[in-house]
Amino acid sequence: LAKTTQPISMDSYEGQEVNITCSHNNIATNDYITWYQQFPSQGPRFIIQGYKTKVTNEVASLFIPADRKSSTLSLPRVSLSDTAVYYCLVGNNAGNMLTFGGGTRLMVKP
Amino acid sequence: SAVISQKPSRDICQRGTSLTIQCQVDSQVTMMFWYRQQPGQSLTLIATANQGSEATYESGFVIDKFPISRPNLTFSTLTVSNLSPEDSSIYLCSVARTGDSYEQYFGPGTRLTVT
């Protein structure tokens, strides 16, 4: 079971790019990396998922180095509304994909 | 994606009673999950509820305390039985599509307070 490690919290300012790194040294060959965003009083929301290299969508980019032992969620030009908790999950359809770590609490300041 | 609703959104219950939480999905999904999230904490998986089979519970969660029903591909219930203040938490259901990896879609959660 791949354990994930993320910073507990991060601060940023509006308009900046934010990079949140997740360590997962024990990632298995068939594991995927998935990031979720959670606002207070809401369920987590899927942001992005990747297996290797780089994935980009309209919300974020996910960078995964060749050894896949870490991944970085990149949020371009954050706004106050990006203040949330961000979770990194690692696993596959065997069930490991369901374990949430501590998450990173991102605070975006004006 | 999938749209998920939960009922009730919140409730205050007395200790010793039970609360049943409903989860409704706008499309048919095989895999449904129930989580618990205590204030300020991360999510903890309670059980997996797949239609047509018994729910699978995670370590520390038992069927007598958290019975689950999954009568069809769009609906599930979680009952929290014999409530104690320690059960005060947010309970969330989620669904995932089958495939190589899980993208989960979560309901808004049910906030339970036990007095």
Side-chain angles (χ1 to χ4, degrees):
Chain A
L1 183 65
K3 177 179 167 60
T4 59
T5 302
Q6 303 175 233
I8 294 174
S9 64
M10 294 181 68
D11 288 345
S12 183
Y13 291 91
E14 283 190 290
Q16 289 188 333
E17 178 184 78
V18 171
N19 297 308
I20 306 175
T21 297
C22 178
S23 297
H24 29 81
N25 291 319
N26 296 325
I27 189 168
T29 303
N30 53 352
D31 283 347
Y32 286 75
I33 301 157
T34 309
W35 285 81
Y36 291 87
Q37 174 191 57
Q38 187 177 27
F39 298 114
S41 301
Q42 294 186 24
R45 181 177 75 107
F46 171 87
I47 302 176
I48 198 167
Q49 183 179 80
Y51 182 80
K52 62 180 180 180
T53 62
K54 177 184 174 182
V55 180
T56 298
N57 61 23
E58 64 278 5
V59 176
S61 294
L62 178 59
F63 298 93
I64 306 168
D67 66 6
R68 305 203 322 126
K69 294 184 183 298
S70 67
S71 59
T72 299
L73 175 72
S74 181
L75 305 173
R77 297 179 298 281
V78 294
S79 64
L80 296 177
S81 62
D82 292 315
T83 294
V85 179
Y86 292 82
Y87 294 99
C88 163
L89 276 69
V90 173
N92 55 61
N93 62 359
N96 301 339
M97 201 56 136
L98 307 172
T99 301
F100 280 76
T104 297
R105 192 172 299 272
L106 173 66
M107 174 68 72
V108 180
K109 303 175 182 177
Chain B
S1 64
V3 177
I4 303 162
S5 60
Q6 287 185 232
K7 290 182 180 179
S9 59
R10 59 178 60 223
D11 206 342
I12 301 173
C13 301
Q14 291 190 340
R15 70 175 67 204
T17 64
S18 298
L19 176 69
T20 296
I21 302 167
Q22 299 179 4
C23 179
Q24 180 75 53
V25 189
D26 68 340
S27 58
Q28 294 186 339
V29 290
T30 302
M31 313 193 72
M32 188 174 281
F33 310 98
W34 287 97
Y35 286 86
R36 180 173 72 184
Q37 185 173 32
Q38 297 179 315
Q41 302 296 314
S42 184
L43 288 80
T44 301
L45 181 66
I46 297 172
T48 299
N50 293 336
Q51 199 268 340
S53 62
E54 295 291 323
T56 303
Y57 290 83
E58 297 298 302
S59 176
F61 298 95
V62 295
I63 187 171
D64 290 346
K65 176 68 175 178
F66 299 98
I68 289 170
S69 77
R70 183 79 199 274
N72 57 53
L73 290 173
T74 64
F75 187 79
S76 177
T77 66
L78 169 74
T79 299
V80 189
S81 305
N82 189 23
L83 291 168
S84 68
E86 293 71 35
D87 296 318
S88 295
S89 192
I90 298 171
Y91 293 86
L92 301 109
C93 69
S94 74
V95 301
R97 305 204 182 280
T98 56
D100 293 335
S101 61
Y102 290 166
E103 285 182 30
Q104 290 188 73
Y105 302 94
F106 285 82
T110 296
R111 182 179 294 271
L112 168 62
T113 302
V114 182
T115 59

